[in-house]
Amino acid sequence: MLERLRSFPIVAILGPRQIGKTTLARQVGRRFPRATHRLDLEDPADLNRLTDDPGLVLRELRGLVVIDEVQRAPDLFPILRVLADRRPLPARFLVLGSASPDLIRQSSESLAGRVVYYRLGGLDPWEVGFHRLPRRWLRGGFPPAWLARSNSAATVWLESFIRTFLERDLPELGVRVPGPVMRRFWTMLAHWHGQVWKASEFGRSFGLADTTVRRYLDILTGALVVRQLPPWHANLAKRQVKAPKVYLRDTGLLHALLGISDMRSLDVHPKSGASWEGFVLESIVDRLGLPDQHAYFWAAHSGAEVDLLIGPDTARIGVEVKRTTAPKVTRSMHTAVRDLGLNELILVHAGQQSYRLADRVRAVAATRLDRDLGLGLWPRL
């Protein structure tokens, strides 16, 4: 994070509310070599100061300026652009937001070339320990849910988060969809988790037009609670899937929307396999800090597929996720390795051992991801 601040006048940390953005900003502030000033736009006093005359307030500050919940004041972005262009630069800005740049009005246009974005995910298995993998999978990565005294207490917190998100956070972003409607959409999307998006089919089930459900999907994606994993289109003589896959980014929210509150219920739920797949993929993407242009899935209508395709043409790695203790090489995997020219296909499974399955196909135990994933390969992507 300090390296980003040395390279850009503005760094934006993006992530859902209570994911840990403020904690990370405090850690950065303690290590920053100059004074740190913090403005929290959920504090009416700070919000009023920056609403009345933001230029007057911000021009006087030196060192690191942290602005929390910046989506509450999108009109700040033109001022930040002016301040970022000063030479010499007296201050750098660390802004924290609960939505993507596309959902925060004016940000991408006003700060182009002056800002670098960092998306903060939840607690990952590397942080909490792989011996606690089931708990992390069940409760998700929000620190309050993870630290709850019991699974039932975690579920209560997650339900409260969902209500607050629908009733307060989305309206603050200018979303005018009624909370109960969006709650029903989000719940239906939880049942769609891990599947290829089909707007017409989803729209019929929801009772709305394709364009409307597509807009709802984009809203939740922009609010950083849903991932649309884009398809990779290889130059192959076969029909390929061209719609994105949809995942709820946090498995705790997924399970709360599905009514799952303990491991016993999760193990027998029809979405257990899809939940596990999303959990592993999100953990890998977050850990590697993959930008959207380096993370895809690939699927052909013949049935061959790769859950996660990482990297540009020069170093392409595939990831398949199976909730099984006895992984096997399938015809689909051989097809993907051959047709996509994969350097390696990694099969993440629920067993205890990691080993070579075939040429360019390796089985990696989910509980040994920290040791056996081969992270040394990834920075070259």
Side-chain angles (χ1 to χ4, degrees), residues 63-102:
L64 178 65
V65 181
V66 180
I67 304 177
D68 205 345
E69 299 299 338
V70 71
Q71 75 280 351
R72 294 175 61 90
D75 292 338
L76 281 178
F77 294 112
I79 301 297
L80 290 176
R81 178 185 62 78
V82 173
L83 298 178
D85 288 342
R86 292 177 294 176
R87 294 295 181 272
L89 191 63
R92 296 183 182 272
F93 295 89
L94 184 61
V95 299
L96 317 181
S98 300
S100 71
D102 294 334

Side-chain angles (χ1 to χ4, degrees), residues 287-302:
R287 180 64 172 180
L288 301 179
L290 290 175
D292 290 343
Q293 64 268 26
H294 279 181
Y296 303 86
F297 82 98
W298 175 78
H301 287 280
S302 61

